[in-house]
PDB file of all heavy atoms in Angstrom:
ATOM      1  N   ALA H 238      -1.115  11.133  19.957  1.00 55.00           N
ATOM      2  CA  ALA H 238      -1.283  12.437  20.590  1.00 55.00           C
ATOM      3  C   ALA H 238      -0.342  13.474  19.972  1.00 55.00           C
ATOM      4  O   ALA H 238      -0.713  14.634  19.791  1.00 55.00           O
ATOM      5  CB  ALA H 238      -1.032  12.330  22.093  1.00 55.00           C
ATOM      6  N   GLN H 239       0.859  13.041  19.629  1.00 49.00           N
ATOM      7  CA  GLN H 239       1.845  13.955  19.030  1.00 49.00           C
ATOM      8  C   GLN H 239       1.359  14.526  17.705  1.00 49.00           C
ATOM      9  O   GLN H 239       1.718  15.634  17.327  1.00 49.00           O
ATOM     10  CB  GLN H 239       3.161  13.213  18.776  1.00 49.00           C
ATOM     11  CG  GLN H 239       4.088  13.163  19.966  1.00 49.00           C
ATOM     12  CD  GLN H 239       5.408  12.499  19.605  1.00 49.00           C
ATOM     13  OE1 GLN H 239       5.698  12.255  18.441  1.00 49.00           O
ATOM     14  NE2 GLN H 239       6.193  12.191  20.615  1.00 49.00           N
ATOM     15  N   THR H 240       0.559  13.747  16.985  1.00 45.00           N
ATOM     16  CA  THR H 240       0.115  14.190  15.661  1.00 45.00           C
ATOM     17  C   THR H 240      -1.297  14.761  15.692  1.00 45.00           C
ATOM     18  O   THR H 240      -1.948  14.888  14.668  1.00 45.00           O
ATOM     19  CB  THR H 240       0.173  13.026  14.654  1.00 45.00           C
ATOM     20  OG1 THR H 240      -0.471  11.879  15.222  1.00 45.00           O
ATOM     21  CG2 THR H 240       1.593  12.668  14.304  1.00 45.00           C
ATOM     22  N   GLY H 241      -1.791  15.054  16.887  1.00 44.00           N
ATOM     23  CA  GLY H 241      -3.074  15.744  16.984  1.00 44.00           C
ATOM     24  C   GLY H 241      -4.265  14.806  16.956  1.00 44.00           C
ATOM     25  O   GLY H 241      -5.399  15.254  16.899  1.00 44.00           O
ATOM     26  N   GLY H 242      -4.025  13.512  17.007  1.00 45.00           N
ATOM     27  CA  GLY H 242      -5.133  12.562  17.003  1.00 45.00           C
ATOM     28  C   GLY H 242      -5.671  12.347  18.409  1.00 45.00           C
ATOM     29  O   GLY H 242      -5.050  12.710  19.402  1.00 45.00           O
ATOM     30  N   THR H 243      -6.837  11.763  18.481  1.00 40.00           N
ATOM     31  CA  THR H 243      -7.418  11.457  19.784  1.00 40.00           C
ATOM     32  C   THR H 243      -7.787   9.995  19.822  1.00 40.00           C
ATOM     33  O   THR H 243      -8.288   9.429  18.854  1.00 40.00           O
ATOM     34  CB  THR H 243      -8.680  12.289  20.046  1.00 40.00           C
ATOM     35  OG1 THR H 243      -9.597  12.102  18.971  1.00 40.00           O
ATOM     36  CG2 THR H 243      -8.345  13.759  20.151  1.00 40.00           C
ATOM     37  N   ALA H 244      -7.525   9.382  20.965  1.00 39.00           N
ATOM     38  CA  ALA H 244      -7.903   7.990  21.144  1.00 39.00           C
ATOM     39  C   ALA H 244      -9.340   7.918  21.630  1.00 39.00           C
ATOM     40  O   ALA H 244     -10.004   8.931  21.819  1.00 39.00           O
ATOM     41  CB  ALA H 244      -6.961   7.326  22.146  1.00 39.00           C
ATOM     42  N   GLY H 245      -9.795   6.699  21.837  1.00 37.00           N
ATOM     43  CA  GLY H 245     -11.128   6.543  22.395  1.00 37.00           C
ATOM     44  C   GLY H 245     -12.140   6.078  21.368  1.00 37.00           C
ATOM     45  O   GLY H 245     -11.796   5.610  20.296  1.00 37.00           O
ATOM     46  N   ALA H 246     -13.418   6.234  21.704  1.00 37.00           N
ATOM     47  CA  ALA H 246     -14.503   5.718  20.880  1.00 37.00           C
ATOM     48  C   ALA H 246     -14.429   6.287  19.465  1.00 37.00           C
ATOM     49  O   ALA H 246     -14.236   7.482  19.271  1.00 37.00           O
ATOM     50  CB  ALA H 246     -15.842   6.061  21.513  1.00 37.00           C
ATOM     51  N   GLY H 247     -14.582   5.404  18.493  1.00 44.00           N
ATOM     52  CA  GLY H 247     -14.600   5.830  17.104  1.00 44.00           C
ATOM     53  C   GLY H 247     -13.228   6.008  16.481  1.00 44.00           C
ATOM     54  O   GLY H 247     -13.119   6.296  15.291  1.00 44.00           O
ATOM     55  N   TYR H 248     -12.194   5.834  17.270  1.00 63.00           N
ATOM     56  CA  TYR H 248     -10.842   6.061  16.763  1.00 63.00           C
ATOM     57  C   TYR H 248     -10.374   4.871  15.934  1.00 63.00           C
ATOM     58  O   TYR H 248      -9.881   5.038  14.829  1.00 63.00           O
ATOM     59  CB  TYR H 248      -9.925   6.344  17.951  1.00 63.00           C
ATOM     60  CG  TYR H 248      -8.445   6.140  17.693  1.00 63.00           C
ATOM     61  CD1 TYR H 248      -7.824   6.683  16.577  1.00 63.00           C
ATOM     62  CD2 TYR H 248      -7.674   5.419  18.590  1.00 63.00           C
ATOM     63  CE1 TYR H 248      -6.467   6.509  16.363  1.00 63.00           C
ATOM     64  CE2 TYR H 248      -6.319   5.245  18.385  1.00 63.00           C
ATOM     65  CZ  TYR H 248      -5.720   5.785  17.269  1.00 63.00           C
ATOM     66  OH  TYR H 248      -4.394   5.602  17.055  1.00 63.00           O
ATOM     67  N   TRP H 249     -10.571   3.669  16.433  1.00 77.00           N
ATOM     68  CA  TRP H 249     -10.111   2.490  15.704  1.00 77.00           C
ATOM     69  C   TRP H 249     -11.165   2.022  14.716  1.00 77.00           C
ATOM     70  O   TRP H 249     -12.327   1.873  15.054  1.00 77.00           O
ATOM     71  CB  TRP H 249      -9.800   1.343  16.676  1.00 77.00           C
ATOM     72  CG  TRP H 249      -8.660   1.625  17.593  1.00 77.00           C
ATOM     73  CD1 TRP H 249      -8.741   1.924  18.926  1.00 77.00           C
ATOM     74  CD2 TRP H 249      -7.278   1.662  17.260  1.00 77.00           C
ATOM     75  NE1 TRP H 249      -7.486   2.139  19.433  1.00 77.00           N
ATOM     76  CE2 TRP H 249      -6.571   1.981  18.437  1.00 77.00           C
ATOM     77  CE3 TRP H 249      -6.565   1.448  16.071  1.00 77.00           C
ATOM     78  CZ2 TRP H 249      -5.178   2.085  18.458  1.00 77.00           C
ATOM     79  CZ3 TRP H 249      -5.186   1.560  16.095  1.00 77.00           C
ATOM     80  CH2 TRP H 249      -4.511   1.872  17.277  1.00 77.00           C
TER      81      TRP H 249
END
Side-chain angles (χ1 to χ4, degrees):
Q239 275 184 11
T240 49
T243 54
Y248 160 49
W249 295 106

